[in-house]
Amino acid sequence: MKLYQSTTSPFVRKVRIAAAELGLIGQIEMLDVSQEFKTGGPTAREANIVKSNPLGQVPTLLTDDGIAIADSRVICEYLNHRAGGEIFPSDPAKRWTALMDQTVGDGLLDAALLARYEGFLRPEEKRWDKWSEGQMTKVRAVLAVIEAKAAEFGDRLDIGTITFASGLAYLDLRFGDLGWRDGHPETAAWFARIEQRPAFAQQKLG
Ligand SMILES: N[C@@H](CCC(=O)N[C@@H](CS)C(=O)NCC(=O)O)C(=O)O
């Protein structure tokens, strides 16, 4: 398998952690994106990726059968299926919780990424503060949801908790000023714990 990837992408990190937890990371050749794409995002489409994925996004996985799979959700599900894993739990009660947590965690990532593009890519005179604040309001709302559940996470490992951890790591990377640990002690304690797992510690963002 080959993975179009960037080490600063939180969606890529979801995939890399899932692959590592499932014992598949060694079977994936990493195809790094250019520096231009890394800093330009949607304004710097990369022809190689577009050939396989019209959205031109990372992560994009090329399977050994020559199929292109895009979107971290679908790639993680593919890897889980291939490994016969339980990152997407088969037990229905656990499954819907994990999937909803993934949706909410991806929502945090989407909002944070849009705020990042607005604050970093968009020319200063064209920035729209109210729009960025709307995105950060979503981030804060998800943080509150995680905080309300974090004490019960224990050692839960599934696509929901992987997504939450990727979201928090992205906030550390790009939104240090947010100080998300303030007011979220349960989340901070859980995050510190899960980040010690080898699969997480070895797939750092940055
Ligand atoms: N829903 C997608 C989002 C992927 C995404 O937004 N990737 C960003 C990098 S973090 C990207 O490729 N941005 C460039 C673009 O959107 O053109 C997923 O879960 O993989």
Side-chain angles (χ1 to χ4, degrees):
M1 293 177 278
K2 296 179 181 178
L3 182 70
Y4 284 111
Q5 68 107 39
S6 159
T7 52
T8 54
S9 164
F11 295 104
V12 167
R13 186 172 193 243
K14 274 177 70 185
V15 169
R16 293 182 65 130
I17 290 173
E21 289 287 356
L22 292 164
L24 294 175
I25 194 82
Q27 298 179 34
I28 301 178
E29 181 188 338
M30 299 297 165
L31 305 175
D32 291 334
V33 294
S34 63
Q35 190 56 32
E36 202 187 355
F37 181 86
K38 267 187 168 185
T39 50
T43 65
R45 279 162 72 78
E46 197 152 305
N48 282 343
I49 305 176
V50 173
K51 267 188 233 157
S52 306
N53 170 8
L55 302 177
Q57 292 185 322
V58 291
T60 296
L61 184 82
L62 308 177
T63 71
D64 294 338
D65 307 322
I67 298 168
I69 302 180
D71 197 293
S72 60
R73 288 168 278 219
V74 187
I75 298 171
C76 289
E77 189 153 2
Y78 170 81
L79 295 174
N80 188 65
H81 176 77
R82 185 169 162 149
E86 274 295 311
I87 278 176
F88 289 77
S90 40
D91 170 45
K94 292 181 181 165
R95 184 175 180 83
W96 303 122
T97 298
L99 289 178
M100 177 57 182
D101 285 350
Q102 173 175 229
T103 296
V104 171
D106 276 344
L108 179 152
L109 282 177
D110 286 334
L113 199 62
L114 289 174
R116 163 85 181 157
Y117 287 155
E118 182 73 10
F120 175 76
L121 271 186
R122 199 168 167 89
E124 204 165 346
E125 68 281 5
K126 293 185 178 159
R127 287 182 196 153
W128 185 8
D129 290 347
K130 196 170 173 192
W131 189 88
S132 297
E133 192 40 48
Q135 301 305 331
M136 295 314 287
T137 298
K138 292 189 193 195
V139 168
R140 282 189 279 271
V142 176
L143 281 172
V145 165
I146 302 174
E147 180 65 12
K149 305 162 65 130
E152 291 162 22
F153 284 165
D155 58 2
R156 199 186 117 193
L157 179 82
D158 57 39
I159 196 59
T161 51
I162 289 172
T163 305
F164 284 154
S166 294
L168 297 169
Y170 187 67
L171 294 182
D172 279 345
L173 181 69
R174 299 295 192 210
F175 294 89
D177 291 353
L178 186 65
W180 67 262
R181 285 173 180 77
D182 296 343
H184 303 98
E186 297 291 353
T187 308
W190 165 76
F191 180 63
R193 230 175 34 249
I194 200 166
E195 286 290 319
Q196 284 171 15
R197 292 179 69 94
F200 288 63
Q202 288 159 15
Q203 308 300 331
K204 288 281 181 221
L205 269 188

